[in-house]
Amino acid sequence: KLIEVSDEHQIDLVFNGLMETKLRNKDFHPETKLAMESFGQALPDIDVSFHEKEDVYQIVALLSEEKMSAYNDKFPEFRFVRWHEYGVDVLPENGSKAETLKVVAKQYGFNREDIIAFGDGNNDMEMIQYAGIGVAMGNGRDELKEVSDFVTLTNNDGGICHALREFKLI
């Protein structure tokens, strides 16, 4: 159904498998390239049937806020989390990076206070707020910086290493 609605509204989709990322649309929009390049990823190869032959671990829908109405009220099983002006993560209704942290922490016996998380986009918001220490990258979104415990250098300037040193973890 997500594919049908996306095709109907000319919304590009990217599927992430375990080892590969594929763009579903042959005639993709220029905004798709901009969104993918915004986090240092080249435009993925095109494979319109990737989702039919591989396990899909994440879906990215590439669309502006104006086109979000195409999805409104049609997918109660999903949450759409915007990370770029032209990109949203399509998550299970009860899924998030924060939920993943909770599961991993429980599995390995970590307390929430023992977790440090790094992020740069609005799709990292819940994770940053959940972690004992939430660190926004210097190149991150202002909204994320506002809820973070610490803002470090940019990802290109060794931000993770800088923060780990600041917190005396290395």
Side-chain angles (χ1 to χ4, degrees):
K1 181 177 173 184
L2 180 71
I3 291 170
E4 289 172 16
V5 170
S6 298
D7 286 351
E8 179 183 329
H9 293 276
Q10 299 179 347
I11 297 168
D12 296 337
L13 295 176
V14 171
F15 293 106
N16 293 305
L18 185 59
M19 303 298 287
E20 295 181 284
T21 298
K22 300 293 183 182
L23 176 62
R24 182 174 186 284
N25 309 73
K26 290 179 183 174
D27 298 318
F28 57 87
H29 296 86
E31 293 87 354
T32 294
K33 188 172 189 285
L34 288 173
M36 296 303 292
E37 289 175 347
S38 74
F39 61 96
Q41 174 130 5
L43 199 61
D45 292 335
I46 297 167
D47 185 342
V48 297
S49 61
F50 180 79
H51 65 285
E52 295 171 354
K53 53 192 174 198
E54 299 289 337
D55 290 331
V56 174
Y57 293 96
Q58 182 180 6
I59 300 172
V60 174
L62 296 140
L63 70 162
S64 65
E65 188 62 44
E66 294 78 40
K67 280 193 171 185
M68 281 303 296
S69 61
Y71 292 151
N72 288 348
D73 302 322
K74 291 185 179 95
F75 300 99
E77 67 273 27
F78 295 138
R79 288 187 317 128
F80 298 90
V81 180
R82 185 159 297 281
W83 51 268
H84 185 272
E85 108 182 80
Y86 298 113
V88 296
D89 289 339
V90 182
L91 302 173
E93 187 276 324
N94 62 348
S96 71
K97 293 178 181 183
E99 288 302 316
T100 301
L101 280 182
K102 291 175 190 177
V103 169
V104 171
K106 182 177 180 181
Q107 182 176 346
Y108 290 100
F110 294 123
N111 294 317
R112 179 179 177 181
E113 297 76 29
D114 299 325
I115 299 171
I116 184 168
F118 296 85
D120 61 1
N122 289 347
N123 60 341
D124 298 318
M125 190 87 62
E126 293 173 48
M127 174 183 67
I128 292 295
Q129 291 175 312
Y130 174 77
I133 301 171
V135 180
M137 303 304 292
N139 57 291
R141 308 267 308 182
D142 288 337
E143 302 91 337
L144 185 68
K145 291 176 183 178
E146 290 173 15
V147 301
S148 297
D149 300 304
F150 184 75
V151 177
T152 189
L153 302 174
T154 70
N155 59 331
N156 290 330
D157 292 324
I160 291 177
C161 187
H162 173 75
L164 292 174
R165 284 190 179 120
E166 285 289 317
F167 288 101
K168 300 185 182 357
L169 296 170
I170 57 171

